[in-house]
Amino acid sequence: MAARVIVTTSGKGGVGKTTSTANIAAALAKFGKKVVAVDADVGLRNLDVIMGLENRVVYNFIDVIEKTCKMAQALVKDKRVPGLYLLPAAQTRTKDAVNPEQMIGLVEELKPEFDFVLLDCPAGIEGGFKNAAAGADEALVVTTPEIPAVRDADRIIGMLESMGKSPIRLIINRLRPNMVQDGDMLAKDDILDVLSIDLIGVVPEDESVIRSTNNGEPMTMTLDSPAAHAYLNIAERLLGHDVPLMDLESYATRGFFSKLKKFFTGKKK
Amino acid sequence: MKISNLLRKIHKPNSQIKPERTNYGIKFIIPESLTEDELLKSFVRIPTGNYKLPEEQGIVLDFAGRACSRRLILHMLNSIVWEKGIKILAWLSTNDDSLKLFRAAGLISVEPDAEVISQILEAQKEREKISSLKIVYNSLRSGQRIETEGDVLIWGHLNPGAEIVAGGSIIIAGKLIGVVHAGAHGRDDVFVWAGCFETPQVRIGNKLCYADENSTACWRKSVLITLENNMPVIRENKFLVNKTGGANS
């Protein structure tokens, strides 16, 4: 077994890198793959919280690099989904505690044991990003439909291209189809026009993301929301399956407020 | 090509003027056996184009031990230097009277030395840099920057946050959204051409201009931007518009 190593990155903070990593990792594990989600955000770790595994973290990957523990001791197995693991980051250290060579060494140690290694990258373009990206072969770039996020994504894509990462694929997160319809939000095609990379999925804005984050249960474990389905589709596409993009416009017309707005404005769509 | 033609032309078996290729251009060694009239005829016969060297280079005339007359010098200046527009770097001679005449006329009578040659080569390199064209076969993304003395062609888009600073002109085949500065060292004979103009700011020569959707009818059109009378002028490409849509359709 030689894992595919994929970094989830964005440039801008708060666009949903960690949420995407957790949900895609859980979805891939549900498809029977052995997956490890590595929290590469040293000093600001969150992946353990979003995956609901924070109480079980004893060691972290810096301990593995510094040989304080063995890899098997640092890996946290998710008991809810077979094949899903977390390798946490150190919360009490800074991003200088690791360098790209050490990160590559860490990933090489994980590769034979897993089908997928997902690296959750910190925001920014400095050392933390470079460390996380160094170990990866492929990249998922997460952006929200906002101009600053798209510009930062463009910056990151340029850096990933210069580092030779391929393929680099795009996740558009927190899209609000009704705002796009009203012309108040960048549409999928506007974003693709600027970024010129392959789209792997569009995740609609969904309040269940907040619930699942606070509950520590990735949405793809229960699949009871549009965002969960979107992440599941992304995981399927990562596995090479041909899955059509979700019809987000139907979600735009489902909500109570949308119906109310339609009633008053007389808009059909 | 021109220089080799020149060398071939002058160096006929029956010609006695011997041209030598040097780092500073060409050195003509003129034998004393030629009469002044024969010498002038030989030079006049050479077509003007054959004297063309890179603009930093020139010609050195070596008259050996010939006692040059004022008439010869005047004819050389009239018929060759001024008439054909060639650059003479030095007038050499081993004859004291000739040297005196050259110096009295203010002509340089010392062969270009290593220092002069290095200046010539340096100037040549600078000119080549300025006249060079850099072609990039992909879009430039946010944070990416190109800085060059010459011209730039981007066969893609210039995304927001990307930047090009060029001593010469800039062509963006796709969308121009990032920042461009053509003629960055003050040249005003440069241009910016964009397949689709969407940038809020263009710098050309020493001018900075702002634009947006409301300030110009050329927004999202194919445009040429130049400096005319020290003012930026933007022109829309209208000659490629077809019936089905705009210039880019």
Side-chain angles (χ1 to χ4, degrees), chain A residues 141 157 161 168-170 192 194-199, chain B residues 141:
Chain A
V141 176
I157 293 164
E161 282 174 345
I168 303 167
R169 288 181 280 203
L170 183 70
L192 290 176
V194 173
L195 299 181
S196 308
I197 58 170
D198 289 338
L199 178 70
Chain B
R141 294 187 179 278

Side-chain angles (χ1 to χ4, degrees), chain A residues 41-54:
Chain A
D41 198 349
V42 180
L44 289 169
R45 79 172 187 216
N46 279 318
L47 189 57
D48 54 332
V49 179
I50 289 176
M51 291 178 77
L53 299 171
E54 75 271 27

Side-chain angles (χ1 to χ4, degrees), chain B residues 45-74:
Chain B
R45 269 206 310 268
I46 301 166
T48 315
N50 286 3
Y51 285 100
K52 279 188 180 163
L53 290 164
E55 65 186 50
E56 300 78 14
Q57 296 189 7
I59 286 172
V60 167
L61 300 172
D62 186 351
F63 292 90
R66 174 188 297 272
C68 297
S69 68
R70 291 180 180 205
R71 176 185 162 272
L72 175 67
I73 296 170
L74 271 174

Side-chain angles (χ1 to χ4, degrees), chain A:
Chain A
M1 196 165 11
R4 283 170 63 185
V5 186
I6 305 171
V7 62
T8 312
T9 183
S10 68
K12 189 177 179 298
V15 297
K17 287 180 294 296
T18 307
T19 304
S20 298
T21 307
N23 281 286
I24 294 167
L28 287 168
K30 278 187 85 168
F31 284 119
K33 299 295 172 187
K34 195 174 176 192
V35 185
V36 58
V38 181
D39 192 343
D41 198 349
V42 180
L44 289 169
R45 79 172 187 216
N46 279 318
L47 189 57
D48 54 332
V49 179
I50 289 176
M51 291 178 77
L53 299 171
E54 75 271 27
N55 294 338
R56 296 182 45 213
V57 173
V58 179
Y59 295 107
N60 56 65
F61 79 80
I62 302 284
D63 293 323
V64 179
I65 286 170
E66 292 178 346
K67 301 197 187 313
T68 309
C69 71
K70 290 182 179 166
M71 180 66 86
Q73 292 173 290
L75 285 169
V76 181
K77 188 177 184 329
D78 192 319
K79 290 174 183 168
R80 296 162 294 184
V81 187
L84 180 60
Y85 292 79
L86 166 73
L87 183 58
Q91 182 69 355
T92 55
R93 304 290 291 272
T94 64
K95 286 163 179 76
D96 308 329
V98 61
N99 63 41
E101 289 72 33
Q102 289 170 322
M103 205 67 193
I104 292 167
L106 187 88
V107 168
E108 288 303 318
E109 199 176 335
L110 289 167
K111 264 184 172 177
E113 308 298 325
F114 292 91
D115 296 308
F116 282 90
V117 177
L118 301 186
L119 297 160
D120 181 33
C121 182
I125 55 170
E126 294 84 15
F129 159 73
K130 285 173 185 161
N131 288 339
D137 305 313
E138 305 173 31
L140 293 175
V141 176
V142 184
T143 187
T144 51
E146 294 152 341
I147 290 169
V150 173
R151 182 178 289 204
D152 290 358
D154 191 43
R155 176 87 164 107
I156 281 290
I157 293 164
M159 295 178 80
L160 290 166
E161 282 174 345
S162 66
M163 293 165 93
K165 309 299 172 193
S166 177
I168 303 167
R169 288 181 280 203
L170 183 70
I171 296 173
I172 300 175
N173 196 18
R174 301 179 67 181
L175 189 92
R176 295 186 185 198
N178 51 349
M179 284 186 77
V180 174
Q181 279 174 3
D182 293 345
D184 294 329
M185 183 175 263
L186 289 173
K188 177 192 77 178
D189 291 341
D190 296 332
I191 299 168
L192 290 176
D193 202 26
V194 173
L195 299 181
S196 308
I197 58 170
D198 289 338
L199 178 70
I200 195 165
V202 181
V203 183
E205 175 81 312
D206 188 342
E207 60 188 30
S208 64
V209 175
I210 301 167
R211 266 199 303 274
S212 87
T213 301
N214 290 334
N215 293 340
E217 186 176 61
M219 292 169 290
T220 42
M221 286 186 181
T222 50
L223 283 181
D224 57 358
S225 68
H229 281 283
Y231 279 121
L232 198 78
N233 288 348
I234 290 170
E236 275 206 80
R237 291 183 196 111
L238 272 178
L239 292 169
H241 303 159
D242 189 13
V243 184
L245 285 172
M246 286 165 64
D247 177 17
L248 294 179
E249 284 188 7
S250 63
Y251 286 111
T253 52
R254 266 185 206 170
F256 170 74
F257 287 107
S258 296
K259 283 175 185 163
L260 198 65
K261 188 177 170 187
K262 269 199 311 184
F263 177 78
F264 284 110
T265 59
K267 280 186 185 173
K268 293 279 177 201
K269 211 172 177 183

Side-chain angles (χ1 to χ4, degrees), chain B residues 19-20 24 26 30 37-38 42 47 65 70 74 88-89 102 120 126 141 145 153 156 174 189 204 206 215 236 249:
Chain B
E20 262 180 26
Y24 51 74
I26 300 173
I30 304 158
D37 286 337
E38 284 171 341
S42 299
R70 291 180 180 205
L74 271 174
I88 305 291
L89 297 174
F102 296 156
I120 288 172
E126 281 300 311
R141 294 187 179 278
R145 175 185 162 93
L153 164 61
D189 60 337
I204 180 163
N206 292 323
S215 69
E236 186 189 335
S249 63

